[in-house]
Amino acid sequence: CGRVELTPMAIAAGRRLADRLLGNLANAKVSYETVPSVVFSHPPIGTIGLTEEQAVAKYGQDNLKLYKSSFANLFYGIFDVNSADKPQTRMKLICAGDDELVVGIHCIGMGVDEMMQGFGIAMRMGATKADFDNTIAIHPTASEELVTMGTWGTSTLITGAKANTLNGEAGAEPKLKSKM
């Protein structure tokens, strides 16, 4: 494919090609946007979507809101070492527009390699900062930082979700073939 050089991307592109050629799905194409990527280094690095520089070029600085965090992962909590001397995790959430659509997530630190897939799904579904704020954190994990970033109550109450759960409503329901 050449645009995103990852094995799973090549597999997805091949599947969409097979869908078009053999599956009567003439419009089946793979999206090269918001593809999660991880560098399995020590510590691991995970990224999805636009970088800050790309977001500024696409939307303009005035249309962006950045959320950043730096912390020592709770895994290191039991070690008798000054917090500043513990390995740090750093995260950045890049949001665009009045609805604060999440357009970029960038993390480095323990556990970020495992969290990127789920946040990739959220971004592909149009998650906003309010959707992240409305997600119940899993504690103690590094990923909870992404759903608790920023000052509570300051994001807009605009959701990118199919079902609006921001005001305590039930989540989406499946479309059933027949009623029970």
Short mmCIF file of all heavy atoms in Angstrom, two decimals, residues 80-112:
data_model
loop_
_atom_site.label_atom_id
_atom_site.label_comp_id
_atom_site.label_asym_id
_atom_site.label_seq_id
_atom_site.Cartn_x
_atom_site.Cartn_y
_atom_site.Cartn_z
N ASP A 80 10.66 2.18 46.43
CA ASP A 80 11.06 3.25 47.34
C ASP A 80 12.07 4.15 46.64
O ASP A 80 13.26 4.16 46.96
CB ASP A 80 11.65 2.64 48.61
CG ASP A 80 11.89 3.69 49.70
OD1 ASP A 80 11.24 4.75 49.63
OD2 ASP A 80 12.72 3.44 50.58
N VAL A 81 11.54 4.90 45.68
CA VAL A 81 12.35 5.83 44.89
C VAL A 81 11.55 7.12 44.75
O VAL A 81 10.33 7.09 44.63
CB VAL A 81 12.63 5.23 43.47
CG1 VAL A 81 13.42 6.19 42.61
CG2 VAL A 81 13.34 3.90 43.58
N ASN A 82 12.24 8.23 44.74
CA ASN A 82 11.58 9.51 44.54
C ASN A 82 10.79 9.47 43.23
O ASN A 82 11.27 8.95 42.22
CB ASN A 82 12.64 10.61 44.48
CG ASN A 82 12.04 11.99 44.41
OD1 ASN A 82 11.01 12.20 43.78
ND2 ASN A 82 12.70 12.94 45.05
N SER A 83 9.59 10.01 43.22
CA SER A 83 8.70 9.98 42.06
C SER A 83 9.38 10.54 40.80
O SER A 83 9.19 10.02 39.71
CB SER A 83 7.42 10.75 42.34
OG SER A 83 6.55 10.67 41.25
N ALA A 84 10.16 11.58 40.97
CA ALA A 84 10.84 12.20 39.83
C ALA A 84 11.89 11.28 39.21
O ALA A 84 12.25 11.44 38.04
CB ALA A 84 11.49 13.50 40.26
N ASP A 85 12.37 10.29 39.99
CA ASP A 85 13.38 9.36 39.48
C ASP A 85 12.77 8.11 38.86
O ASP A 85 13.49 7.28 38.30
CB ASP A 85 14.32 8.95 40.62
CG ASP A 85 15.13 10.13 41.13
OD1 ASP A 85 15.42 11.05 40.33
OD2 ASP A 85 15.47 10.14 42.33
N LYS A 86 11.46 7.96 38.94
CA LYS A 86 10.78 6.80 38.34
C LYS A 86 10.56 7.05 36.85
O LYS A 86 10.42 8.20 36.42
CB LYS A 86 9.44 6.56 39.03
CG LYS A 86 9.59 6.16 40.49
CD LYS A 86 8.25 6.00 41.15
CE LYS A 86 8.43 5.67 42.64
NZ LYS A 86 7.16 5.55 43.35
N PRO A 87 10.51 5.98 36.05
CA PRO A 87 10.23 6.16 34.61
C PRO A 87 8.90 6.89 34.42
O PRO A 87 7.90 6.56 35.06
CB PRO A 87 10.15 4.73 34.08
CG PRO A 87 10.95 3.92 35.05
CD PRO A 87 10.73 4.57 36.39
N GLN A 88 8.90 7.89 33.58
CA GLN A 88 7.72 8.71 33.35
C GLN A 88 6.92 8.21 32.14
O GLN A 88 7.48 7.71 31.17
CB GLN A 88 8.12 10.17 33.10
CG GLN A 88 8.78 10.83 34.30
CD GLN A 88 7.81 11.04 35.44
OE1 GLN A 88 6.83 11.76 35.32
NE2 GLN A 88 8.09 10.39 36.56
N THR A 89 5.62 8.38 32.22
CA THR A 89 4.72 8.17 31.09
C THR A 89 4.25 9.54 30.66
O THR A 89 3.93 10.38 31.50
CB THR A 89 3.51 7.30 31.51
OG1 THR A 89 3.99 6.01 31.88
CG2 THR A 89 2.51 7.17 30.38
N ARG A 90 4.25 9.77 29.35
CA ARG A 90 3.78 11.06 28.82
C ARG A 90 2.69 10.79 27.80
O ARG A 90 2.80 9.88 26.99
CB ARG A 90 4.94 11.83 28.20
CG ARG A 90 5.90 12.33 29.25
CD ARG A 90 6.96 13.26 28.69
NE ARG A 90 7.70 13.90 29.76
CZ ARG A 90 8.70 13.35 30.41
NH1 ARG A 90 9.07 12.13 30.12
NH2 ARG A 90 9.32 14.01 31.38
N MET A 91 1.66 11.63 27.85
CA MET A 91 0.51 11.47 26.94
C MET A 91 0.08 12.82 26.42
O MET A 91 0.15 13.83 27.12
CB MET A 91 -0.66 10.81 27.67
CG MET A 91 -0.36 9.43 28.15
SD MET A 91 -1.79 8.71 28.97
CE MET A 91 -1.23 7.02 29.13
N LYS A 92 -0.40 12.81 25.18
CA LYS A 92 -0.94 14.02 24.57
C LYS A 92 -2.20 13.64 23.80
O LYS A 92 -2.20 12.69 23.01
CB LYS A 92 0.06 14.66 23.61
CG LYS A 92 -0.44 15.96 22.98
CD LYS A 92 0.42 16.45 21.83
CE LYS A 92 1.79 16.86 22.28
NZ LYS A 92 2.57 17.49 21.17
N LEU A 93 -3.25 14.41 24.03
CA LEU A 93 -4.52 14.25 23.34
C LEU A 93 -4.72 15.53 22.53
O LEU A 93 -4.67 16.63 23.08
CB LEU A 93 -5.62 14.09 24.38
CG LEU A 93 -6.97 13.55 24.01
CD1 LEU A 93 -6.86 12.14 23.48
CD2 LEU A 93 -7.88 13.56 25.24
N ILE A 94 -4.91 15.39 21.21
CA ILE A 94 -5.09 16.55 20.34
C ILE A 94 -6.55 16.57 19.89
O ILE A 94 -7.04 15.62 19.29
CB ILE A 94 -4.15 16.47 19.11
CG1 ILE A 94 -2.70 16.34 19.57
CG2 ILE A 94 -4.36 17.68 18.21
CD1 ILE A 94 -1.73 16.01 18.47
N CYS A 95 -7.24 17.66 20.21
CA CYS A 95 -8.66 17.80 19.87
C CYS A 95 -8.84 18.99 18.94
O CYS A 95 -8.15 20.00 19.06
CB CYS A 95 -9.49 18.00 21.13
SG CYS A 95 -9.33 16.63 22.29
N ALA A 96 -9.81 18.87 18.01
CA ALA A 96 -10.05 19.93 17.03
C ALA A 96 -11.52 20.32 17.00
O ALA A 96 -12.40 19.48 17.19
CB ALA A 96 -9.61 19.45 15.64
N GLY A 97 -11.75 21.61 16.77
CA GLY A 97 -13.09 22.12 16.58
C GLY A 97 -13.83 22.39 17.87
O GLY A 97 -13.36 22.06 18.96
N ASP A 98 -15.01 22.99 17.73
CA ASP A 98 -15.84 23.30 18.89
C ASP A 98 -16.30 22.04 19.62
O ASP A 98 -16.51 22.06 20.82
CB ASP A 98 -17.07 24.11 18.47
CG ASP A 98 -16.69 25.52 18.00
OD1 ASP A 98 -15.61 26.00 18.38
OD2 ASP A 98 -17.49 26.10 17.25
N ASP A 99 -16.44 20.94 18.86
CA ASP A 99 -16.87 19.67 19.47
C ASP A 99 -15.71 18.90 20.08
O ASP A 99 -15.91 17.86 20.68
CB ASP A 99 -17.61 18.80 18.46
CG ASP A 99 -16.78 18.51 17.21
OD1 ASP A 99 -15.69 19.10 17.04
OD2 ASP A 99 -17.22 17.69 16.40
N GLU A 100 -14.49 19.42 19.94
CA GLU A 100 -13.28 18.77 20.46
C GLU A 100 -13.16 17.33 19.99
O GLU A 100 -12.94 16.40 20.75
CB GLU A 100 -13.21 18.85 21.98
CG GLU A 100 -13.00 20.25 22.51
CD GLU A 100 -12.65 20.28 23.98
OE1 GLU A 100 -11.51 19.89 24.31
OE2 GLU A 100 -13.51 20.66 24.79
N LEU A 101 -13.29 17.15 18.68
CA LEU A 101 -13.07 15.84 18.07
C LEU A 101 -11.62 15.41 18.33
O LEU A 101 -10.69 16.19 18.11
CB LEU A 101 -13.32 15.91 16.56
CG LEU A 101 -13.14 14.60 15.80
CD1 LEU A 101 -14.28 13.64 16.13
CD2 LEU A 101 -13.07 14.85 14.30
N VAL A 102 -11.43 14.20 18.81
CA VAL A 102 -10.07 13.70 19.07
C VAL A 102 -9.44 13.35 17.73
O VAL A 102 -9.92 12.46 17.02
CB VAL A 102 -10.09 12.49 20.02
CG1 VAL A 102 -8.66 11.96 20.23
CG2 VAL A 102 -10.73 12.85 21.34
N VAL A 103 -8.37 14.06 17.36
CA VAL A 103 -7.71 13.85 16.07
C VAL A 103 -6.30 13.29 16.22
O VAL A 103 -5.68 12.93 15.23
CB VAL A 103 -7.69 15.14 15.23
CG1 VAL A 103 -9.12 15.59 14.89
CG2 VAL A 103 -6.91 16.25 15.90
N GLY A 104 -5.80 13.18 17.45
CA GLY A 104 -4.47 12.63 17.67
C GLY A 104 -4.28 12.19 19.11
O GLY A 104 -4.74 12.87 20.03
N ILE A 105 -3.64 11.05 19.26
CA ILE A 105 -3.25 10.55 20.59
C ILE A 105 -1.80 10.09 20.47
O ILE A 105 -1.47 9.32 19.57
CB ILE A 105 -4.12 9.36 21.05
CG1 ILE A 105 -5.59 9.76 21.13
CG2 ILE A 105 -3.62 8.83 22.39
CD1 ILE A 105 -6.51 8.59 21.45
N HIS A 106 -0.97 10.56 21.38
CA HIS A 106 0.45 10.22 21.35
C HIS A 106 0.92 9.93 22.77
O HIS A 106 0.70 10.74 23.68
CB HIS A 106 1.25 11.36 20.73
CG HIS A 106 0.70 11.75 19.39
ND1 HIS A 106 0.96 11.02 18.27
CD2 HIS A 106 -0.14 12.75 19.03
CE1 HIS A 106 0.31 11.55 17.24
NE2 HIS A 106 -0.36 12.60 17.69
N CYS A 107 1.51 8.76 22.97
CA CYS A 107 1.90 8.32 24.32
C CYS A 107 3.26 7.63 24.29
O CYS A 107 3.62 6.98 23.31
CB CYS A 107 0.88 7.33 24.87
SG CYS A 107 -0.83 7.88 24.83
N ILE A 108 3.98 7.75 25.38
CA ILE A 108 5.20 7.00 25.59
C ILE A 108 5.22 6.57 27.06
O ILE A 108 4.95 7.38 27.94
CB ILE A 108 6.47 7.81 25.22
CG1 ILE A 108 7.73 6.94 25.42
CG2 ILE A 108 6.55 9.13 25.98
CD1 ILE A 108 9.00 7.57 24.86
N GLY A 109 5.48 5.30 27.28
CA GLY A 109 5.54 4.81 28.65
C GLY A 109 5.02 3.40 28.76
O GLY A 109 4.47 2.83 27.82
N MET A 110 5.17 2.86 29.93
CA MET A 110 4.76 1.49 30.19
C MET A 110 3.27 1.29 29.92
O MET A 110 2.44 2.05 30.39
CB MET A 110 5.06 1.12 31.65
CG MET A 110 4.76 -0.29 31.97
SD MET A 110 5.24 -0.60 33.67
CE MET A 110 4.81 -2.30 33.79
N GLY A 111 2.94 0.29 29.12
CA GLY A 111 1.56 -0.07 28.87
C GLY A 111 0.91 0.61 27.68
O GLY A 111 -0.19 0.23 27.28
N VAL A 112 1.54 1.62 27.08
CA VAL A 112 0.87 2.32 25.99
C VAL A 112 0.71 1.43 24.76
O VAL A 112 -0.23 1.63 23.98
CB VAL A 112 1.56 3.65 25.62
CG1 VAL A 112 1.67 4.55 26.84
CG2 VAL A 112 2.90 3.45 24.97
#
